[in-house]
Amino acid sequence: MTNDFDLYDTDTLPPATKAQDAEKAPELVYGSAEEFLHEQLLPTYVRSVTGKSAKWCIEWYFHPEAVSRVAALWRAWEHLRLDPATGMSVWWKDHADHHMRVLLDPQGPFYNCDMKEHREPELLEPRIAPKGWFQDARLL
């Protein structure tokens, strides 16, 4: 089975399953991860971002990890908002607090940036493992 869902594609919803096709999916409140970030997340998740205890990049969208985490926050919010009992509590506790702590961490994805300037991060440079160490799970 292949997975065509791309974590960096924040505008396309994952493929629907047969069960989802049978019933109409609820309408989205926000049309994209960026809209969610500007209209919901950042207005409600207010922190002091001085660079010492928290960092943010003004051009956050150039950081693949940040894009993926904001998209995950958006998708989780859209799903959990439908639970009138504990949905928002679960979203804050399990999603927002976790991902925002990572995003704002001074050693996180924006470690090389500041509020006024984006700087390209140094990417991790892995070596390829010796042949045979990792089997292709699609072939098992």
PDB file of all heavy atoms in Angstrom, residues 64-78:
ATOM      1  N   PRO A  64      10.582  23.652   6.554  1.00  0.00           N
ATOM      2  CA  PRO A  64       9.704  22.494   6.337  1.00  0.00           C
ATOM      3  C   PRO A  64       9.133  21.910   7.627  1.00  0.00           C
ATOM      4  O   PRO A  64       7.967  21.510   7.673  1.00  0.00           O
ATOM      5  CB  PRO A  64      10.604  21.486   5.622  1.00  0.00           C
ATOM      6  CG  PRO A  64      11.646  22.318   4.954  1.00  0.00           C
ATOM      7  CD  PRO A  64      11.867  23.494   5.866  1.00  0.00           C
ATOM      8  N   GLU A  65       9.924  21.855   8.689  1.00  0.00           N
ATOM      9  CA  GLU A  65       9.405  21.322   9.954  1.00  0.00           C
ATOM     10  C   GLU A  65       8.273  22.191  10.484  1.00  0.00           C
ATOM     11  O   GLU A  65       7.240  21.680  10.952  1.00  0.00           O
ATOM     12  CB  GLU A  65      10.512  21.220  11.006  1.00  0.00           C
ATOM     13  CG  GLU A  65       9.997  20.698  12.335  1.00  0.00           C
ATOM     14  CD  GLU A  65      11.051  20.672  13.437  1.00  0.00           C
ATOM     15  OE1 GLU A  65      12.242  20.954  13.163  1.00  0.00           O
ATOM     16  OE2 GLU A  65      10.674  20.367  14.574  1.00  0.00           O
ATOM     17  N   ALA A  66       8.438  23.495  10.406  1.00  0.00           N
ATOM     18  CA  ALA A  66       7.397  24.408  10.891  1.00  0.00           C
ATOM     19  C   ALA A  66       6.123  24.260  10.066  1.00  0.00           C
ATOM     20  O   ALA A  66       5.021  24.214  10.617  1.00  0.00           O
ATOM     21  CB  ALA A  66       7.900  25.847  10.853  1.00  0.00           C
ATOM     22  N   VAL A  67       6.258  24.170   8.763  1.00  0.00           N
ATOM     23  CA  VAL A  67       5.089  24.007   7.890  1.00  0.00           C
ATOM     24  C   VAL A  67       4.353  22.718   8.238  1.00  0.00           C
ATOM     25  O   VAL A  67       3.126  22.699   8.378  1.00  0.00           O
ATOM     26  CB  VAL A  67       5.499  24.023   6.402  1.00  0.00           C
ATOM     27  CG1 VAL A  67       4.340  23.631   5.508  1.00  0.00           C
ATOM     28  CG2 VAL A  67       6.043  25.394   6.016  1.00  0.00           C
ATOM     29  N   SER A  68       5.092  21.644   8.422  1.00  0.00           N
ATOM     30  CA  SER A  68       4.482  20.359   8.751  1.00  0.00           C
ATOM     31  C   SER A  68       3.790  20.416  10.118  1.00  0.00           C
ATOM     32  O   SER A  68       2.676  19.914  10.287  1.00  0.00           O
ATOM     33  CB  SER A  68       5.550  19.263   8.730  1.00  0.00           C
ATOM     34  OG  SER A  68       4.972  18.012   8.982  1.00  0.00           O
ATOM     35  N   ARG A  69       4.423  21.042  11.100  1.00  0.00           N
ATOM     36  CA  ARG A  69       3.825  21.134  12.435  1.00  0.00           C
ATOM     37  C   ARG A  69       2.594  22.039  12.444  1.00  0.00           C
ATOM     38  O   ARG A  69       1.587  21.718  13.088  1.00  0.00           O
ATOM     39  CB  ARG A  69       4.855  21.618  13.458  1.00  0.00           C
ATOM     40  CG  ARG A  69       5.881  20.557  13.815  1.00  0.00           C
ATOM     41  CD  ARG A  69       6.870  21.076  14.864  1.00  0.00           C
ATOM     42  NE  ARG A  69       7.874  20.097  15.173  1.00  0.00           N
ATOM     43  CZ  ARG A  69       7.725  19.104  16.045  1.00  0.00           C
ATOM     44  NH1 ARG A  69       6.585  18.963  16.704  1.00  0.00           N
ATOM     45  NH2 ARG A  69       8.709  18.251  16.265  1.00  0.00           N
ATOM     46  N   VAL A  70       2.635  23.165  11.740  1.00  0.00           N
ATOM     47  CA  VAL A  70       1.466  24.045  11.679  1.00  0.00           C
ATOM     48  C   VAL A  70       0.322  23.328  10.956  1.00  0.00           C
ATOM     49  O   VAL A  70      -0.838  23.419  11.374  1.00  0.00           O
ATOM     50  CB  VAL A  70       1.813  25.398  11.013  1.00  0.00           C
ATOM     51  CG1 VAL A  70       0.555  26.216  10.743  1.00  0.00           C
ATOM     52  CG2 VAL A  70       2.779  26.187  11.897  1.00  0.00           C
ATOM     53  N   ALA A  71       0.632  22.602   9.882  1.00  0.00           N
ATOM     54  CA  ALA A  71      -0.396  21.833   9.181  1.00  0.00           C
ATOM     55  C   ALA A  71      -0.995  20.768  10.101  1.00  0.00           C
ATOM     56  O   ALA A  71      -2.209  20.544  10.108  1.00  0.00           O
ATOM     57  CB  ALA A  71       0.182  21.194   7.923  1.00  0.00           C
ATOM     58  N   ALA A  72      -0.155  20.113  10.899  1.00  0.00           N
ATOM     59  CA  ALA A  72      -0.656  19.109  11.842  1.00  0.00           C
ATOM     60  C   ALA A  72      -1.561  19.756  12.885  1.00  0.00           C
ATOM     61  O   ALA A  72      -2.613  19.197  13.240  1.00  0.00           O
ATOM     62  CB  ALA A  72       0.518  18.393  12.518  1.00  0.00           C
ATOM     63  N   LEU A  73      -1.171  20.925  13.366  1.00  0.00           N
ATOM     64  CA  LEU A  73      -2.011  21.646  14.326  1.00  0.00           C
ATOM     65  C   LEU A  73      -3.356  22.017  13.718  1.00  0.00           C
ATOM     66  O   LEU A  73      -4.405  21.881  14.357  1.00  0.00           O
ATOM     67  CB  LEU A  73      -1.290  22.903  14.821  1.00  0.00           C
ATOM     68  CG  LEU A  73      -0.162  22.672  15.805  1.00  0.00           C
ATOM     69  CD1 LEU A  73       0.678  23.928  15.971  1.00  0.00           C
ATOM     70  CD2 LEU A  73      -0.715  22.199  17.136  1.00  0.00           C
ATOM     71  N   TRP A  74      -3.330  22.482  12.483  1.00  0.00           N
ATOM     72  CA  TRP A  74      -4.570  22.860  11.792  1.00  0.00           C
ATOM     73  C   TRP A  74      -5.490  21.654  11.623  1.00  0.00           C
ATOM     74  O   TRP A  74      -6.667  21.704  11.969  1.00  0.00           O
ATOM     75  CB  TRP A  74      -4.228  23.486  10.444  1.00  0.00           C
ATOM     76  CG  TRP A  74      -5.390  23.647   9.514  1.00  0.00           C
ATOM     77  CD1 TRP A  74      -6.605  24.214   9.795  1.00  0.00           C
ATOM     78  CD2 TRP A  74      -5.442  23.236   8.150  1.00  0.00           C
ATOM     79  NE1 TRP A  74      -7.404  24.185   8.676  1.00  0.00           N
ATOM     80  CE2 TRP A  74      -6.716  23.591   7.655  1.00  0.00           C
ATOM     81  CE3 TRP A  74      -4.543  22.623   7.295  1.00  0.00           C
ATOM     82  CZ2 TRP A  74      -7.107  23.340   6.344  1.00  0.00           C
ATOM     83  CZ3 TRP A  74      -4.927  22.387   5.988  1.00  0.00           C
ATOM     84  CH2 TRP A  74      -6.190  22.741   5.518  1.00  0.00           C
ATOM     85  N   ARG A  75      -4.944  20.557  11.104  1.00  0.00           N
ATOM     86  CA  ARG A  75      -5.767  19.369  10.858  1.00  0.00           C
ATOM     87  C   ARG A  75      -6.329  18.801  12.157  1.00  0.00           C
ATOM     88  O   ARG A  75      -7.498  18.396  12.224  1.00  0.00           O
ATOM     89  CB  ARG A  75      -4.964  18.323  10.103  1.00  0.00           C
ATOM     90  CG  ARG A  75      -4.646  18.771   8.680  1.00  0.00           C
ATOM     91  CD  ARG A  75      -3.763  17.759   7.970  1.00  0.00           C
ATOM     92  NE  ARG A  75      -3.204  18.266   6.752  1.00  0.00           N
ATOM     93  CZ  ARG A  75      -3.852  18.331   5.592  1.00  0.00           C
ATOM     94  NH1 ARG A  75      -5.090  17.947   5.505  1.00  0.00           N
ATOM     95  NH2 ARG A  75      -3.238  18.810   4.518  1.00  0.00           N
ATOM     96  N   ALA A  76      -5.520  18.790  13.224  1.00  0.00           N
ATOM     97  CA  ALA A  76      -5.997  18.298  14.517  1.00  0.00           C
ATOM     98  C   ALA A  76      -7.085  19.217  15.067  1.00  0.00           C
ATOM     99  O   ALA A  76      -8.095  18.754  15.618  1.00  0.00           O
ATOM    100  CB  ALA A  76      -4.830  18.188  15.505  1.00  0.00           C
ATOM    101  N   TRP A  77      -6.904  20.517  14.917  1.00  0.00           N
ATOM    102  CA  TRP A  77      -7.906  21.475  15.390  1.00  0.00           C
ATOM    103  C   TRP A  77      -9.225  21.284  14.654  1.00  0.00           C
ATOM    104  O   TRP A  77     -10.296  21.262  15.278  1.00  0.00           O
ATOM    105  CB  TRP A  77      -7.388  22.910  15.210  1.00  0.00           C
ATOM    106  CG  TRP A  77      -8.288  23.948  15.802  1.00  0.00           C
ATOM    107  CD1 TRP A  77      -8.229  24.462  17.065  1.00  0.00           C
ATOM    108  CD2 TRP A  77      -9.392  24.594  15.154  1.00  0.00           C
ATOM    109  NE1 TRP A  77      -9.231  25.381  17.239  1.00  0.00           N
ATOM    110  CE2 TRP A  77      -9.952  25.485  16.080  1.00  0.00           C
ATOM    111  CE3 TRP A  77      -9.950  24.515  13.890  1.00  0.00           C
ATOM    112  CZ2 TRP A  77     -11.060  26.284  15.791  1.00  0.00           C
ATOM    113  CZ3 TRP A  77     -11.051  25.307  13.584  1.00  0.00           C
ATOM    114  CH2 TRP A  77     -11.593  26.176  14.517  1.00  0.00           C
ATOM    115  N   GLU A  78      -9.155  21.154  13.331  1.00  0.00           N
ATOM    116  CA  GLU A  78     -10.375  20.963  12.533  1.00  0.00           C
ATOM    117  C   GLU A  78     -11.111  19.698  12.968  1.00  0.00           C
ATOM    118  O   GLU A  78     -12.338  19.667  13.000  1.00  0.00           O
ATOM    119  CB  GLU A  78     -10.048  20.894  11.034  1.00  0.00           C
ATOM    120  CG  GLU A  78      -9.602  22.205  10.420  1.00  0.00           C
ATOM    121  CD  GLU A  78     -10.730  23.204  10.169  1.00  0.00           C
ATOM    122  OE1 GLU A  78     -11.903  22.923  10.485  1.00  0.00           O
ATOM    123  OE2 GLU A  78     -10.429  24.292   9.655  1.00  0.00           O
TER     124      GLU A  78
END
